[in-house]
Amino acid sequence: MENICGYLMKYTNLVTGWQYRFFILNNEAGLLEYFVTEQSRSQKPRGTLHLAGAVISPSDEDSHTFTVNAASGEQYKLRATDTKERQHWVSRLQICTQHHTEAIGKNNPPLKSRSFSMASQGSSSSPALQRRASQGAASFFSVGYHKSTSSSKRSHIPPPDHLVDVREMMSQAEGQHRDLIRDIEGLPLSGHFTALDQDLLMLKATSMATLNCLNDCLHILQLQQIAQHKGSLPVGATIEWLEQKIPLSDHHRNGTAHQVFTAEQSKSTSSDREQSFSESYQMTREPVEIDPDEEVLDTSDNRENDLGAVEEQRSVILHLLSQLKLGMDLTRVVLPTFILEKRSLLEMYADFMSHPDLFITITNGSTPEDRMIRFVEYYLTSFHEGRKGAIAKKPYNPIIGETFHCSWQVPKDHRLCNNSTSQKTAPPEESEGKAPSDYYTVRFVAEQLSHHPPVSGFYAECAERRICVNAHVWTKSKFMGMSIGVSMVGEGVLSLLEHGEEYTFTLPSAYARSILTVPWVELGGKVTINCAKTGYSSAITFHTKPFYGGKLHRVTAEVKHNPTNTVVCRVQGEWNGVLEFAYSSGESKAVDLTKLPVTRKRVRPLEKQRQSESRQLWQYVTEALRNEDLDKATEHKRMLEEQQRAEERHRLETNTPWQTKYFLKEGDGWIYHKALCKSPGLST
């Protein structure tokens, strides 16, 4: 095939954004190269990706963007001028990638593909296996490779000498694993020592996960040896992560056996609900103006202090883990109910505003430097309230069209002119005896904008202070072995209308660690805050705990004036503990987040909320969780999810696009339909 070339936009980073670059697809060499301009193509390429083993993925963000993920781990995020051009590049890249990947496979036969099935291993006479087979809910996951060959053909191409012993040891380990599974599955289901013993389940899951990892590592070593020998690939490998072929087993939901719905029952149930659900949601598509007089101080307490549920349900976690694959996208995986928080993700986003007094004082800064520092101080204090307990639990996945509304009141006689993180006074939470004019009101609205991918939008404003923030977030979760990682893809924009400034920011990733013992949460990754108008920016790093030693929840940051490359503020500490700020003036201060007063939000009573509002929508799940009735919570949750799927099918059949209520699509993001920054006469 002929080489192709042309200009594409390449995403560099949040500061420089998208840049036009000249790309060349070298089909013969299997390389994607790029240059700053077409005229510089005679020089050394600015960047090169080897396409053997790469993954070419059209983006869900829009119809122009796509990504090239190389086997080495490097990624290019690219954007074509239109859909047709994107398809042309994606098709040619995929053809080139497939050709060179298969060439590597032919010269280097992989290990025999294996399918480890909890229902196919061990004795067929095992009672546990017979029960699972009758339910038809066994789940498979495979360690697979790009091309398989017959054993007779492989015998003519011996593996590299230094891997012969490794292969033999792997074969022995797999035999021992099968014996282990057979012995465990053959144990009785009742008595002192059973097949469902937690320690045995942990042993079984760990054995399977270890074999999967070792097989992948062996394949990486094999490809690396070939690459170093032939010079055709960089040191790296192609690992094909396979999604499950059958839905996750459902025969151990919340640790108790239950009847699995048949296909006919499921179809009948969903069709019965489809019409009523569609009609109920059609009535709530229009934006609803919230009456602030109906909001009252929130008295609910959803603290998650109970560790017993996690300990009691460890066998369910182990059963779930045994069916997952490293790197697997968990977006479509139904997780057990007992790990849920008693609130929606949309309500969790409202916790970013738990210090509204700090939020509205950002605009008080007398200089651009002061305002950037104030925003960084507010940003770093906005995460600690998001955790409702010591253990990691997951908020409800919002239903498409779901909304959450609330507000906060900040007394005007509060010391707003002081340094933004002063801890001398706390804003009172009761408003009796004072008129509405005595308070600044911060309003918040969040909406679930998309189901696949799961995108949420949230917006907050204080109209009187002429400040607002708008953000959209795509939550991408993946299985990482003993952890679950959630990437917060998207960005937010803080607008200070009085100063005509916009601050663009991103959000860190979150990780649930030690999911087999006492799960806990930490934040990780690098985020940025940037104000193009003033030239000030901030780089913030949320540090994950090292394997050995190190502190938990550590964060560092610096505020810089880019035109002069001057650092004006440095921060270190813990995002849920004490933060220390050091300024270029020589001054410093410490903020203890555990003592920083939190302002409770105001919400409308449940009886006044619409069906699509978070607390009304999830009220029966929340009530069941409070009563520790996991079976009932699971059933209510399943009904909501079935309703969502039914309406999605209805929209596909009628070719009806989803219409959001409060947020409008604008470019690659979403913006609140009545944002202050878009209102005539308010922006400067």
Side-chain angles (χ1 to χ4, degrees):
M1 295 182 63
E2 294 182 357
N3 297 340
I4 64 171
C5 59
Y7 279 98
L8 293 169
M9 295 191 73
K10 180 179 180 292
Y11 186 80
T12 307
N13 53 52
L14 190 65
V15 177
T16 57
W18 294 90
Q19 303 287 334
Y20 271 107
R21 295 291 181 258
F22 187 78
F23 282 82
I24 297 178
L25 172 58
N26 188 330
N27 282 287
E28 182 178 355
L31 300 176
L32 178 63
E33 304 171 323
Y34 78 88
F35 306 82
V36 176
T37 63
E38 183 177 3
Q39 290 70 30
S40 62
R41 60 189 299 180
S42 59
Q43 304 172 6
K44 182 180 178 180
R46 177 64 65 91
T48 302
L49 281 188
H50 291 265
L51 294 177
V55 177
I56 317 300
S57 305
S59 174
D60 293 327
E61 300 175 16
D62 54 48
S63 60
H64 300 173
T65 307
F66 63 98
T67 58
V68 182
N69 300 275
S72 62
E74 191 172 2
Q75 181 191 76
Y76 286 175
K77 185 174 182 180
L78 308 174
R79 178 179 292 169
T81 55
D82 53 36
T83 304
K84 184 178 180 180
E85 186 185 29
R86 180 182 79 166
Q87 186 58 45
H88 176 66
W89 275 96
V90 168
S91 299
R92 296 294 294 272
L93 285 166
Q94 288 176 339
I95 293 172
C96 181
T97 296
Q98 181 178 2
H99 173 74
H100 286 274
T101 302
E102 290 182 353
I104 292 294
K106 290 177 181 178
N107 295 327
N108 180 48
L111 294 172
K112 180 180 179 181
S113 295
R114 299 173 176 85
S115 292
F116 296 114
S117 167
M118 301 306 290
S120 64
Q121 296 167 350
S123 171
S124 60
S125 61
S126 166
L129 294 181
Q130 291 177 355
R131 183 181 70 255
R132 294 176 188 179
S134 65
Q135 290 175 328
S139 244
F140 290 84
F141 70 104
S142 303
V143 178
Y145 307 106
H146 289 293
K147 196 172 183 66
S148 62
T149 57
S150 66
S151 58
S152 61
K153 183 176 180 180
R154 281 198 300 272
S155 64
H156 298 295
I157 308 176
D161 292 341
H162 65 281
L163 295 181
V164 171
D165 292 340
V166 178
R167 290 173 181 271
E168 178 62 28
M169 294 178 66
M170 283 297 303
S171 178
Q172 294 176 10
E174 287 159 11
Q176 294 171 352
H177 171 76
R178 286 191 293 270
D179 293 341
L180 173 67
I181 297 300
R182 182 179 62 249
D183 293 342
I184 294 177
E185 297 280 0
L187 291 173
L189 297 177
S190 60
H192 178 69
F193 206 58
T194 73
L196 298 179
D197 181 86
Q198 291 188 8
D199 291 334
L200 291 180
L201 286 171
M202 178 180 290
L203 177 62
K204 188 167 61 175
T206 304
S207 175
M208 180 174 293
T210 302
L211 273 180
N212 288 335
C213 293
L214 289 175
N215 272 308
D216 290 335
C217 291
L218 181 56
H219 187 52
I220 289 174
L221 291 174
Q222 183 174 290
L223 287 182
Q224 285 180 336
Q225 196 277 339
I226 294 296
Q228 292 170 353
H229 179 68
K230 296 187 175 183
S232 58
L233 274 177
V235 176
T238 303
I239 301 177
E240 181 183 1
W241 300 114
L242 299 181
E243 295 292 342
Q244 62 222 28
K245 301 297 188 298
I246 301 175
L248 290 178
S249 174
D250 224 9
H251 73 282
H252 271 132
R253 176 152 44 175
N254 296 322
T256 58
H258 75 285
Q259 180 64 38
V260 180
F261 284 105
T262 64
E264 291 76 10
Q265 288 173 320
S266 179
K267 183 176 180 181
S268 173
T269 303
S270 62
S271 61
D272 291 341
R273 296 193 185 103
E274 184 170 345
Q275 183 175 0
S276 61
F277 178 73
S278 180
E279 290 175 355
S280 66
Y281 258 55
Q282 288 293 339
M283 292 187 297
T284 60
R285 289 284 179 86
E286 295 300 321
V288 178
E289 294 297 330
I290 304 300
D291 185 357
D293 294 335
E294 294 182 348
E295 293 180 329
V296 297
L297 201 63
D298 185 23
T299 57
S300 64
D301 184 10
N302 292 332
R303 295 280 169 180
E304 303 287 346
N305 296 321
D306 181 22
L307 183 59
V310 176
E311 293 180 333
E312 294 167 6
Q313 306 297 338
R314 186 176 298 172
S315 61
V316 186
I317 299 177
L318 290 168
H319 181 73
L320 177 65
L321 295 182
S322 70
Q323 303 172 67
L324 299 179
K325 187 78 172 65
L326 284 176
M328 179 183 288
D329 182 5
L330 299 182
T331 303
R332 298 176 184 265
V333 175
V334 179
L335 299 176
T337 306
F338 68 85
I339 68 172
L340 296 178
E341 287 189 27
K342 296 185 284 289
R343 59 173 178 166
S344 171
L345 178 65
L346 298 186
E347 183 171 352
M348 192 194 78
Y349 287 140
D351 288 331
F352 290 143
M353 304 300 301
S354 293
H355 301 297
D357 50 328
L358 306 185
F359 173 70
I360 63 178
T361 56
I362 297 173
T363 193
N364 282 2
S366 57
T367 64
E369 175 183 322
D370 189 18
R371 291 189 290 274
M372 173 60 81
I373 292 176
R374 284 171 178 257
F375 182 34
V376 171
E377 291 176 353
Y378 162 74
Y379 183 93
L380 292 174
T381 61
S382 64
F383 294 99
H384 74 100
E385 183 61 16
R387 303 314 314 154
K388 295 299 183 183
I391 64 173
K393 288 197 172 184
K394 179 182 179 299
Y396 310 140
N397 286 333
I399 302 296
I400 187 171
E402 177 184 336
T403 61
F404 181 77
H405 305 263
C406 67
S407 67
W408 297 264
Q409 291 184 339
V410 180
K412 291 184 178 179
D413 57 5
H414 187 58
R415 299 183 181 181
L416 295 182
C417 294
N418 289 349
N419 200 330
S420 58
T421 49
S422 171
Q423 295 176 254
K424 296 181 180 180
T425 61
E429 294 181 338
E430 302 298 337
S431 57
E432 285 78 12
K434 291 191 176 183
S437 58
D438 296 329
Y439 288 85
Y440 292 116
T441 299
V442 177
R443 304 195 181 283
F444 177 91
V445 59
E447 178 181 359
Q448 189 64 12
L449 308 172
S450 171
H451 180 44
H452 290 302
V455 179
S456 309
F458 61 89
Y459 173 83
E461 68 173 30
C462 180
E464 194 170 353
R465 301 287 296 172
R466 302 181 70 198
I467 180 175
C468 66
V469 61
N470 188 99
H472 63 278
V473 180
W474 172 12
T475 53
K476 298 180 65 176
S477 56
K478 64 179 179 180
F479 178 60
M480 302 169 63
M482 293 299 102
S483 302
I484 293 177
V486 181
S487 299
M488 311 290 277
V489 182
E491 67 178 22
V493 177
L494 171 75
S495 299
L496 304 182
L497 277 64
E498 181 180 347
H499 306 285
E501 296 170 356
E502 289 188 345
Y503 297 76
T504 305
F505 62 91
T506 54
L507 296 171
S509 298
Y511 300 92
R513 306 294 194 189
S514 305
I515 55 181
L516 282 182
T517 53
V518 182
W520 53 280
V521 170
E522 71 171 340
L523 302 180
K526 296 182 179 181
V527 300
T528 56
I529 302 174
N530 184 59
C531 181
K533 179 179 178 180
T534 65
Y536 281 92
S537 66
S538 177
I540 303 172
T541 302
F542 292 85
H543 300 269
T544 55
K545 184 182 181 300
F547 191 78
Y548 292 106
K551 291 184 177 180
L552 289 173
H553 312 306
R554 196 165 68 89
V555 62
T556 57
E558 67 176 24
V559 178
K560 180 184 292 187
H561 184 236
N562 295 317
T564 60
N565 200 33
T566 303
V567 176
V568 298
C569 176
R570 285 189 169 88
V571 189
Q572 64 176 356
E574 296 82 42
W575 57 265
N576 60 354
V578 177
L579 293 171
E580 298 176 353
F581 296 82
Y583 307 99
S584 58
S585 62
E587 297 180 354
S588 63
K589 72 174 180 180
V591 178
D592 188 346
L593 300 181
T594 62
K595 299 179 181 179
L596 199 64
V598 172
T599 303
R600 282 190 290 171
K601 56 183 174 287
R602 301 173 65 85
V603 296
R604 289 148 66 228
L606 201 61
E607 62 272 11
K608 294 187 178 181
Q609 294 185 17
R610 294 212 166 198
Q611 180 61 37
S612 59
E613 294 186 53
S614 295
R615 291 192 176 181
Q616 178 69 248
L617 190 65
W618 294 95
Q619 62 171 317
Y620 298 114
V621 178
T622 302
E623 181 181 358
L625 288 176
R626 285 197 180 118
N627 296 331
E628 299 183 358
D629 190 339
L630 297 180
D631 289 336
K632 183 177 290 186
T634 298
E635 180 60 21
H636 286 305
K637 175 175 174 287
R638 186 189 62 80
M639 289 176 63
L640 286 174
E641 293 166 344
E642 281 295 321
Q643 289 174 340
Q644 180 174 224
R645 286 189 282 268
E647 198 198 37
E648 187 174 11
R649 288 194 300 270
H650 177 73
R651 291 197 305 273
L652 289 174
E653 292 169 359
T654 59
N655 197 26
T656 304
W658 174 257
Q659 295 180 356
T660 55
K661 299 184 186 75
Y662 296 99
F663 289 79
L664 304 174
K665 195 79 166 70
E666 188 171 288
D668 293 337
W670 297 82
I671 189 166
Y672 185 63
H673 72 135
K674 289 186 177 179
L676 281 179
C677 55
K678 298 295 182 181
S679 301
L682 285 180
S683 58
T684 58

